[in-house]
Amino acid sequence: MIAFVLRRLLQAVVVMLVVALIAFLMFKFVGDPVAQMVGQETTIAEREALRERLGLNDPIIAQFARYVADVAQADFGLSFRTSQPVDTMLAERLPATLELAIVAALYALVVGIPMGVYTGLYPNTALSRLFQAISLAGISLPTFFVGILLILLFGVVLGWLPTFGRGETVQVGWWSTGLLTVSGLKSLILPAFTLGMFQLTLIMRLVRSEMLEVLRTDYIKFARARGLTNRSVHFGHALKNTLVPVITITGLQLGSIIAFAIITEAVFQWPGMGLLFLQAIQFVDIPVMSTYLILISFFFVVINLIVDLLYYAVDPRLRIDRTAISSAAG
Amino acid sequence: MATIDTKIDADVPAVAHEPPAPPSPLREFWERFSENRGALIGMWVIVVITVLAVFADVVAPHSPTQQFAQFQLLPPAWQEGGQLSFFLGTDPVGRDILSRLIHGARFSLFIGLVVVTLSLIVGVALGLFAGFFKGVVDNLIMRTVDIMMALPSLLLALAVVAILGPSLVNAMIAIAIVVLPQYIRITRAAVLAEMTKEYVTASRIAGASVFRLMFINILPNAMAPLIVQATLGFSTAILDAAALGFLGLGAQPPTPEWGTMLADAREFIRRAWWVMTFPGLAILITVLAFNLMGDGLRDALDPRLKK
């Protein structure tokens, strides 16, 4: 168990180092930081002195090591554009993105699992075919197009829901939440629906194929032979055994949702980190870009790690296999 | 389709006196493929789009960039105020939307083709190397794949575009890099599975070179999943390129790329629904067609995967 955890931790650290390298490369290859900092009249000698002071003449390895050390201490530097510390800029935007992502993930789960169970149990009914068609359209529709259509329908034609921004927010400590006001909740509906759409179809398809698989197994036949009710067979035996892969995929998808929120945030002008990142790309604001990259990757890697450990805890077969292998090896 | 069937049927009586020959693999494949109505529809839609894209200069009623100043934001022909010569209406600067969509098909298919070809060639090569020369090479390639798969694909693509700068070419490179792991894994898995088979050992003992083993013996066994992956890869590439274009990181205006057109049209949503709806529909139809055909190919080429 400890060896497994350590190996996964090591893997996570390597991934983060690679991400830091990509972020570092951005600083190296996109624009010249000295040119960004000095005015027109600065002499070449002064520029050279500045380079020396900033450590830009050190070997690349030393610069990278210093960058990693800074990042590990959560020192991300100042934005080129606003001269504010990057970490406060991102921290202000973090609640918006996380609230959107979590609500979207919950919505995808709560709607996707029942749809998947239904299409798995009754694959040939008209409703199942409808769900299947919806899911095929769901993976073929660009997120931004769904979002724009929703804006057109609910915002422009019907005028029921706001189409941009977060509405009114309430400050809870440093966390600004839109979940406590009516306008905040109304503003959340369209973006969350848009963002969760793809994950919903993914979860539905996954639950469906897992259900079809499990329903063919002997222990389901045996449970039926014992005269158990349909309800008990379907939910107690079948659904329960499909949940391990569902939990895994959903966990992994949460990281993707946070990353894919960029597109949804662009469509709905949602004031989250993704929108900040897009603006940063336009203004070549590299500290913001690289910090966003590192932060989102960090979320993703941590979620991956937790899911892997959960998986290990939930599925006893993994543990038995490992001990069997290690004892066989020893 | 009908002509193919009758031609084959006509051949059968000529050899009828001999024991019936097994159907040719191609025919068997076609029979299984054409059972699937969705896959057939997808295939024909792709054929139509390809023809439109190839002959865009002839088919499109107008130039995709010509601005008709007197016809700005003209609604589609069936709406009041619409004109038949601008069937799907015009955009805010008076360009014909239908013509732009037809020319946009070129970009989308071209993006799909370049991304799939690039990732297929590099992915297959790396997968073969990893599977053949186990040890250090394998470890190096597969650990890199692990790292790439440990990050959200969109984030990786955005990082690549951010480093290279926003343009259509860089967007294609970014997408090709992001989808590489899938091809590497499919190829490597096939190599590892086939290497243990006896015919490979026999071929090796007979003195076959490494390249012969790789490309003549083993690669054909990985063709089915690779073809399926490549077909589905088209839809991923088109979707991702449209998303990058929409974010302003792919094709730049005034390129008639569908995602870029959608992004341009956003501000006119309240006045002119047609400007953004038709590029979106074009993406949907194309991607849906590739997904349907990919599913059909998977069922036809590899019945084991059929759900």
Side-chain angles (χ1 to χ4, degrees):
Chain A
M1 174 76 192
I2 292 171
F4 174 74
V5 174
L6 282 180
R7 205 169 53 235
R8 284 296 288 114
L9 269 176
L10 187 72
Q11 215 178 336
V13 170
V14 172
V15 171
M16 283 318 295
L17 277 177
V18 171
V19 171
L21 183 66
I22 297 175
F24 176 71
L25 288 179
M26 272 189 204
F27 279 100
K28 285 274 110 188
F29 288 117
V30 188
D32 177 12
V34 173
Q36 303 253 11
M37 293 165 82
V38 299
Q40 286 286 327
E41 65 280 3
T42 325
T43 63
I44 293 174
E46 280 172 318
R47 284 173 194 243
E48 203 42 50
L50 188 61
R51 287 193 153 272
E52 191 62 46
R53 199 152 33 105
L54 289 171
L56 291 173
N57 291 335
D58 295 352
I60 294 272
I61 302 276
Q63 290 189 41
F64 180 55
R66 198 163 51 230
Y67 181 72
V68 171
D70 283 349
V71 167
Q73 293 165 36
D75 176 6
F76 299 105
L78 301 177
S79 157
F80 286 166
R81 187 163 63 100
T82 62
S83 300
Q84 278 178 295
V86 174
D87 45 356
T88 45
M89 281 173 78
L90 279 168
E92 279 170 13
R93 304 288 196 114
L94 181 72
T97 296
L98 282 188
E99 280 182 2
L100 176 62
I102 290 169
V103 170
L106 285 179
Y107 148 74
L109 269 182
V110 169
V111 180
I113 291 182
M115 277 171 81
V117 170
Y118 182 82
T119 47
L121 289 178
Y122 313 103
N124 295 319
T125 62
L127 190 59
S128 278
R129 286 177 195 282
L130 180 70
F131 285 167
Q132 285 281 85
I134 291 174
S135 86
L136 192 62
I139 58 165
S140 307
L141 267 173
T143 324
F144 49 88
F145 187 50
V146 176
I148 294 180
L149 284 183
L150 289 175
I151 291 180
L152 188 64
L153 182 60
F154 290 99
V156 178
V157 178
L158 297 172
W160 288 349
L161 295 166
T163 54
F164 65 90
R166 272 184 95 189
E168 274 174 64
T169 55
V170 177
Q171 211 63 32
V172 181
W174 61 273
W175 185 279
S176 71
T177 176
L179 298 177
L180 298 176
T181 64
V182 178
S183 79
L185 285 174
K186 273 171 107 177
S187 305
L188 190 60
I189 295 175
L190 291 184
F193 184 87
T194 307
L195 185 56
M197 173 95 176
F198 182 78
Q199 264 67 28
L200 186 152
T201 54
L202 200 75
I203 290 172
M204 188 202 119
R205 291 178 146 231
L206 181 73
V207 172
R208 173 178 176 272
S209 62
E210 290 288 326
M211 281 297 272
L212 286 175
E213 199 91 336
V214 168
L215 285 174
R216 273 205 292 265
T217 55
D218 286 342
Y219 68 82
I220 295 294
K221 280 183 203 139
F222 190 66
R224 285 199 201 285
R226 276 165 67 201
L228 297 181
T229 59
N230 265 344
R231 216 179 106 113
S232 160
V233 174
H234 292 162
F235 295 99
H237 291 73
L239 182 61
K240 215 170 163 185
N241 279 290
T242 65
L243 283 183
V244 173
V246 173
I247 290 172
T248 320
I249 299 287
T250 316
L252 297 182
Q253 286 299 317
L254 186 60
S256 300
I257 288 183
I258 297 175
F260 274 90
I262 293 179
I263 297 175
T264 310
E265 287 179 11
V267 174
F268 291 94
Q269 293 299 301
W270 187 261
M273 295 186 296
L275 206 56
L276 188 71
F277 176 69
L278 286 177
Q279 287 160 357
I281 291 182
Q282 265 157 27
F283 291 97
V284 200
D285 194 348
I286 299 160
V288 175
M289 280 156 67
S290 58
T291 310
Y292 174 82
L293 189 68
I294 290 175
L295 190 67
I296 299 293
S297 308
F298 181 70
F299 279 141
F300 199 69
V301 167
V302 168
I303 292 171
N304 270 2
L305 194 64
I306 293 173
V307 168
D308 263 12
L309 297 180
L310 267 184
Y311 202 72
Y312 194 78
V314 168
D315 195 340
R317 280 169 303 185
L318 269 176
R319 269 171 300 188
I320 292 163
D321 281 353
R322 295 242 175 247
T323 36
I325 290 164
S326 55
S327 61
Chain B
M1 205 182 94
T3 53
I4 296 172
D5 282 346
T6 48
K7 215 192 271 173
I8 293 167
D9 287 342
D11 284 346
V12 174
V15 289
H17 53 278
E18 286 181 17
S24 79
L26 205 64
R27 189 181 168 192
E28 201 187 338
F29 159 74
W30 176 254
E31 269 173 7
R32 265 191 267 158
F33 182 75
S34 54
E35 262 173 29
N36 186 334
R37 202 150 32 108
L40 272 182
I41 296 173
M43 192 193 75
W44 285 115
V45 170
I46 293 168
V47 169
V48 170
I49 295 172
T50 313
V51 169
L52 283 180
V54 170
F55 297 105
D57 291 325
V58 190
V59 179
H62 303 281
S63 146
T65 46
Q66 193 185 348
Q67 304 182 358
F68 298 90
Q70 70 275 35
F71 294 128
Q72 287 169 358
L73 285 181
L74 212 60
W78 60 89
Q79 276 208 328
E80 210 181 319
Q83 288 199 9
L84 214 55
S85 63
F86 300 100
F87 191 69
L88 296 182
T90 58
D91 70 359
V93 289
R95 292 172 297 200
D96 179 41
I97 289 180
L98 180 62
S99 306
R100 283 176 73 70
L101 286 183
I102 293 174
H103 280 269
R106 272 190 182 176
F107 283 95
S108 284
L109 293 183
F110 177 69
I111 290 165
L113 198 65
V114 170
V115 167
V116 167
T117 314
L118 212 64
S119 48
L120 199 61
I121 292 174
V122 178
V124 166
L126 288 175
L128 283 174
F129 275 119
F132 255 92
F133 310 108
K134 291 166 194 151
V136 183
V137 183
D138 186 29
N139 249 318
L140 200 70
I141 294 174
M142 292 322 284
R143 289 300 79 77
T144 316
V145 165
D146 282 349
I147 289 172
M148 287 171 77
M149 308 225 1
L151 295 170
S153 59
L154 181 71
L155 195 64
L156 212 56
L158 283 174
V160 175
V161 174
I163 292 176
L164 298 176
S167 79
L168 183 58
V169 175
N170 292 343
M172 290 196 288
I173 295 174
I175 298 166
I177 292 176
V178 167
V179 295
L180 263 186
Q182 298 157 359
Y183 296 97
I184 298 179
R185 284 165 66 120
I186 290 174
T187 314
R188 179 176 175 271
V191 173
L192 291 185
E194 296 300 317
M195 284 290 271
T196 56
K197 301 248 172 91
E198 275 157 10
Y199 77 94
V200 176
T201 318
S203 182
R204 196 195 280 267
I205 292 170
S209 69
V210 171
F211 279 95
R212 192 182 164 79
L213 281 176
M214 271 189 192
F215 292 103
I216 311 273
N217 289 345
I218 292 180
L219 195 56
N221 287 297
M223 280 326 269
L226 282 175
I227 290 174
V228 174
Q229 186 67 41
T231 314
L232 296 174
F234 257 91
S235 66
T236 321
I238 293 171
L239 264 185
D240 288 358
L244 288 175
F246 177 77
L247 295 176
L249 302 173
Q252 300 297 314
T255 317
E257 195 269 321
W258 295 338
T260 316
M261 284 171 72
L262 250 170
D264 283 353
R266 228 179 339 169
E267 48 192 301
F268 297 96
I269 185 168
R270 279 168 206 282
R271 289 195 281 141
W273 58 270
W274 57 91
V275 185
M276 45 134 293
T277 309
F278 293 126
L281 281 179
I283 299 173
L284 171 66
I285 291 170
T286 313
V287 171
L288 196 60
F290 275 107
N291 278 342
L292 283 171
M293 190 168 104
D295 281 351
L297 280 177
R298 185 187 51 209
D299 293 348
L301 287 172
D302 199 347
R304 280 169 302 171
L305 293 174
K306 195 165 185 170
K307 284 276 153 71

